[in-house]
Amino acid sequence: KAAHEIEWQSIGLAANGWMRSICVDPNNEDILWTVADGGGGIVYTENGGRSWKDVTYNAIRDTKCTSFAYVFVNHDGTVFVAGSYSVIKSRDNGETWKRVKIDLSARDSGKYLNWIEFHPTRSNIMYLINFLGDVFKSVDTGETWGHVFEEKERKTLVNNRSYRIKG
């Protein structure tokens, strides 16, 4: 069905601010993660939205990060949340968090994360793109990162806005 043909309903997050990002767990459609502006933080549900758990405090406590913009869930259940200059991850439904060590860019204007993409069959491989179009690759679920494209290839990607990467 097209979006205008679906009967939409609120699932109870109005008090958490503006929803900035939402991601469905690829292994369980009842598990959703959201990131909200305006102090809403990081919340998730395991029952399709009937109840929500706020894990923002845990993320701030463990990583000292306070700015959250996007949420992504890997096939192995690892949750990645990106903010202004950092990426954090949790492997235990937000009980504990860890900073992902990555230098998004040497240029200030490009440090903001734009997208994370996971390999469709190998959950240890992931790609990260910043707002300048720099593409980074990890083969160990975000523990270490390397640049995928050199400067001239990056310019082509930015010009084409072609961010999908083949296996």
Side-chain angles (χ1 to χ4, degrees), residues 58-59 61-63 89-98:
N58 299 349
R61 175 197 66 209
D62 295 346
T63 66
K89 72 179 182 178
S90 175
R91 294 181 184 262
D92 57 8
N93 288 330
E95 292 299 316
T96 60
W97 293 86
K98 174 180 164 183

Side-chain angles (χ1 to χ4, degrees), residues 34 53-54 60 70 84 117 121 123 141:
T34 68
K53 181 174 181 182
D54 189 334
I60 294 170
Y70 301 103
S84 297
E117 187 74 34
T121 59
S123 63
T141 318

Side-chain angles (χ1 to χ4, degrees), residues 36-153:
D37 283 339
I42 307 166
V43 295
Y44 79 100
T45 178
E46 295 178 315
N47 56 25
R50 289 187 298 281
S51 63
W52 294 85
K53 181 174 181 182
D54 189 334
V55 294
T56 307
Y57 172 79
N58 299 349
I60 294 170
R61 175 197 66 209
D62 295 346
T63 66
K64 308 299 185 248
C65 294
T66 58
S67 173
F68 311 112
Y70 301 103
V71 61
F72 306 91
V73 181
N74 198 347
H75 311 299
D76 68 0
T78 304
V79 177
F80 292 85
V81 175
S84 297
Y85 295 99
S86 61
V87 178
I88 61 175
K89 72 179 182 178
S90 175
R91 294 181 184 262
D92 57 8
N93 288 330
E95 292 299 316
T96 60
W97 293 86
K98 174 180 164 183
R99 266 187 196 259
V100 172
K101 294 179 181 155
I102 182 170
D103 179 16
L104 294 177
S105 172
R107 296 161 291 226
D108 285 342
S109 63
K111 289 187 178 181
Y112 294 96
L113 170 85
N114 195 19
W115 195 256
I116 292 178
E117 187 74 34
F118 303 105
H119 190 282
T121 59
R122 297 174 58 197
S123 63
N124 62 305
I125 297 177
M126 53 191 294
Y127 298 91
L128 183 147
I129 301 167
N130 69 7
F131 276 108
L132 291 178
D134 293 321
V135 180
F136 302 84
K137 179 180 181 180
S138 173
V139 295
D140 53 13
T141 318
E143 293 297 319
T144 59
W145 294 87
H147 270 96
V148 174
F149 297 103
E150 297 192 17
E151 185 67 19
K152 65 179 181 174
E153 293 169 315

